[in-house]
């Protein structure tokens, strides 16, 4: 989770180190969260980059994810139907989840930046 969170926040930061939250606020990537649209307890979407984006801590921690703004952002970024796609995919059951492969993938992506 730590490695994936670092990747999501760093990969979406501009060249000055700021991310744009889906509520419109700019924050340093170090002061942001990796916010899940569908709860992170849903393993099939926990590490899905379409489901996790950087956000300000106000939205993620104190506004329950600010899901109305998040939904608008997702549809703007991925197009109509993304919310339905995520809803469908949250029911997938994954046996032998590839934790080691994901750790290696996102560690390599962080190190290559």
């Amino acid at each position: 989770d730590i490695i994936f969170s670092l990747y999501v926040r760093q990969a979406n930061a501009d060249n000055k180190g700021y991310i744009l939250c889906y509520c419109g606020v700019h924050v340093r990537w170090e002061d942001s969260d990796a916010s899940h649209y569908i709860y992170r307890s849903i393993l099939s979407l926990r590490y899905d980059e379409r489901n996790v984006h950087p956000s300000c801590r106000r939205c993620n921690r104190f506004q329950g994810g600010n899901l109305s703004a998040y939904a608008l952002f997702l549809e703007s970024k991925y197009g109509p139907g993304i919310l339905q796609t995520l809803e469908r995919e949250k029911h997938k059951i994954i046996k032998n989840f590839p934790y080691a492969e994901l750790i290696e993938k996102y560690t390599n992506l962080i190190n290559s930046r």
Side-chain angles (χ1 to χ4, degrees):
D1 287 342
I2 293 169
I3 293 167
F4 184 65
S5 173
L6 281 172
Y7 169 75
V8 166
R9 294 177 297 131
Q10 288 178 357
N12 288 282
D14 65 19
N15 59 358
K16 294 182 181 177
Y18 285 85
I19 62 98
L20 177 62
C21 179
Y22 43 82
C23 75
V25 171
H26 286 90
V27 235
R28 296 260 330 140
W29 76 264
E30 299 97 329
D31 298 323
S32 68
D33 286 347
S35 181
H36 292 72
Y37 181 75
I38 304 284
Y39 297 117
R40 65 186 237 155
S41 61
I42 305 299
L43 190 57
S44 60
L45 293 172
R46 187 174 189 145
Y47 304 105
D48 187 320
E49 292 180 44
R50 298 169 301 165
N51 186 53
V52 185
H53 298 85
S55 72
C56 68
R57 291 183 175 156
R58 188 178 112 247
C59 280
N60 192 47
R61 298 181 188 188
F62 304 111
Q63 292 186 337
N66 192 359
L67 296 181
S68 58
Y70 205 163
L72 292 172
F73 164 80
L74 289 173
E75 287 190 334
S76 171
K77 182 168 181 155
Y78 299 106
I82 185 61
L83 303 178
Q84 294 80 4
T85 298
L86 293 174
E87 280 296 319
R88 267 193 317 276
E89 292 185 13
K90 82 178 187 182
H91 299 290
K92 285 184 181 176
I93 296 173
I94 302 173
K95 295 182 180 184
N96 301 318
F97 195 81
Y99 288 109
E101 291 89 354
L102 289 171
I103 290 168
E104 182 178 354
K105 172 186 174 179
Y106 288 107
T107 299
N108 289 338
L109 286 169
I110 289 170
N111 291 336
S112 69
R113 292 184 55 79

